[in-house]
Amino acid sequence: MRLPLAMLEVFNAIAQNGSLRGAANALGIKPSTVSHQLKSLEEQLGTALFVRTTRSVTLTDAGRALQSGAGAAFDLLGQAVEDAREHGSSARGSLRLTLPEFVFHTFLADLLPGFQAKYPEIQLELSLSDAIVDIVSEGLHAGFRSGGLVAQDMIALRISDPQPLTVLGSKTYLDQHGRPEQPEDLLDHACIHYRFQTSGQLAPWVFQVDGDQVEIDVKGGLILNTLPSLLELMEQGMGLVLTFRNYALMQCDMTKVERLLEDYLTPIAPIYLFYPREYKDLQPLRLFIDHIKAHRRLSA
C-alpha cells in the first residue's frame, strides 16, 4: 500500500496544533481541505483518529499510536529537507572534483590554502587522474579538462590560455646524444612515450613544419601513463619527452634540463572547469568558482 503522505501530513499538523483550523493555518491550506483529508485517512485506516468536540480535538488510542510513529517520521523528513536545502545553498558540505595532476600543480595548488581558510566547513575532495571521468556516474560535482575533451552537455568555464608544449631532455642525455635541431632529428633519439589512460593510445608527437602539421614516429623503449613519472625518467637521462611547458617549468630542475623545438610546437586547447547544469546553483561550487575567478581569468 502506498503511504498517504499528504493525509499523514495533515494528521500530524492537527495533532501538533490541537485543532483543524490550527493545522490549516500551519499548512497554508483551507480548513475544509484539512477536514476532507482527515476524513479520507480515517476511512482508509478504518478507524477514528480524533475525538472532535466543539471545544477540542483529542487523539483516540489509534490516533496516539499513529502519532507516536508519524510525528517522529515527519520530524526526520523535515530535518532531511533542511539538510538538503542547506547543503546546496550554504558555505558548507562537500565538493568533489576530478582533474589531471598537471592541472592541480599548474592552476590549483596555490589557490587551495586561501579557499580552505575562507570556507573551513566545505570539504574539498580532489581525484587526480589523467583519465577522462564521467563525473555524474562517479558522484563528482565538477572536473577540469582540456577544451576538446569536455562533453557538450556540461557548463564549461575557461581557466587558462592555450597550453604551450615543449620537448625536454636532461643535459646529461643531450651532452651524450646531441641536441635535435628540427623535428625529424628526433628519429635519432630515445623518446619516452605517454599513453592516454582512457583511450589507451600513445600521445602523438606533432609539430608545425613549414605551415603543415607533421607527426614524427618517435622511437623509445619506455611508455608511461602519468606525467610525473615521465618527467622523472627524463631527468634521469632516459630520453626526451613531449609535455606541457608550464607544468615542466614548475616540476623540473631547469638547471639540469633543456627545452627544445618549441618553435615547431603549437599550443593545445585551454583548460576548462566543467560541471552539470544541475549543479549551477550548488553553493560550494559557486564559491569555489568565485575563488578561482579572483585569481584566474575564467570565461564561457
Side-chain angles (χ1 to χ4, degrees):
M1 180 183 76
R2 294 180 60 185
L3 289 175
L5 290 177
M7 300 177 192
L8 288 171
E9 184 181 25
V10 166
F11 164 79
N12 190 59
I14 298 171
Q16 289 186 337
N17 291 277
S19 70
L20 275 64
R21 184 168 296 278
N25 292 336
L27 297 174
I29 59 178
K30 296 179 180 179
S32 60
T33 301
V34 171
S35 179
H36 175 73
Q37 292 278 51
L38 175 59
K39 181 179 179 181
S40 297
L41 179 60
E42 289 177 329
E43 288 176 352
Q44 185 168 326
L45 297 178
T47 185
L49 297 173
F50 293 97
V51 176
R52 294 182 282 274
T53 68
T54 56
R55 293 192 301 175
S56 67
V57 175
T58 305
L59 287 163
T60 64
D61 289 344
R64 282 191 289 271
L66 181 59
Q67 172 63 9
S68 66
F74 273 99
D75 288 343
L76 289 174
L77 284 172
Q79 185 60 52
V81 169
E82 287 303 314
D83 288 346
R85 181 182 293 114
E86 184 177 274
H87 182 83
S89 60
S90 67
R92 61 183 303 181
S94 62
L95 181 60
R96 297 182 294 277
L97 310 172
T98 179
L99 64 160
E101 190 160 354
F102 87 91
V103 173
F104 170 77
H105 289 289
T106 308
F107 299 104
L108 284 190
D110 61 331
L111 303 183
L112 297 184
F115 183 78
Q116 286 279 278
K118 193 172 183 180
Y119 305 109
E121 293 190 78
I122 295 179
Q123 182 183 58
L124 192 60
E125 180 177 345
L126 305 179
S127 176
L128 303 185
S129 173
D130 289 345
I132 298 176
V133 176
D134 182 342
I135 62 174
V136 175
S137 65
E138 294 295 325
L140 302 168
H141 297 115
F144 293 82
R145 285 290 176 265
S146 178
L149 302 176
V150 177
Q152 292 184 349
D153 58 351
M154 295 286 173
I155 295 176
L157 301 173
R158 194 174 79 179
I159 69 165
S160 81
D161 293 322
Q163 291 298 290
L165 301 174
T166 189
V167 173
L168 291 174
S170 71
K171 291 183 178 180
T172 301
Y173 172 91
L174 295 170
D175 288 344
Q176 183 176 355
H177 298 281
R179 288 159 174 79
E181 300 294 335
Q182 51 192 358
E184 55 262 38
D185 294 343
L186 293 170
L187 296 173
D188 298 324
H189 287 270
C191 296
I192 306 174
H193 289 279
Y194 174 82
R195 189 181 296 281
F196 293 113
Q197 294 181 14
T198 300
S199 68
Q201 297 179 346
L202 295 179
W205 291 52
V206 179
F207 298 87
Q208 202 75 17
V209 180
D210 296 329
D212 296 321
Q213 282 195 336
V214 176
E215 181 173 347
I216 305 298
D217 185 19
V218 299
K219 309 300 180 184
L222 289 170
I223 301 174
L224 299 103
N225 66 353
T226 68
L227 293 183
S229 58
L230 202 76
L231 294 180
E232 181 176 348
L233 293 184
M234 177 274 299
E235 289 185 294
Q236 292 178 17
M238 300 294 291
L240 307 180
V241 300
L242 173 62
T243 190
F244 301 101
R245 187 180 70 194
N246 294 340
Y247 174 66
L249 290 174
M250 297 178 66
Q251 298 300 306
C252 298
D253 181 352
M254 298 308 295
T255 64
K256 300 179 180 179
V257 171
E258 290 186 23
R259 294 153 50 190
L260 307 161
L261 303 175
E262 290 184 357
D263 290 341
Y264 294 94
L265 290 166
T266 301
I268 66 166
I271 303 302
Y272 285 80
L273 165 66
F274 68 97
Y275 55 92
R277 297 184 183 279
E278 291 78 4
Y279 285 150
K280 63 183 179 65
D281 296 321
L282 183 67
Q283 188 67 358
L285 179 58
R286 297 307 313 171
L287 294 172
F288 186 69
I289 291 173
D290 289 343
H291 186 71
I292 296 178
K293 282 182 176 179
H295 298 82
R296 306 273 189 253
R297 177 167 58 86
L298 279 78
S299 61

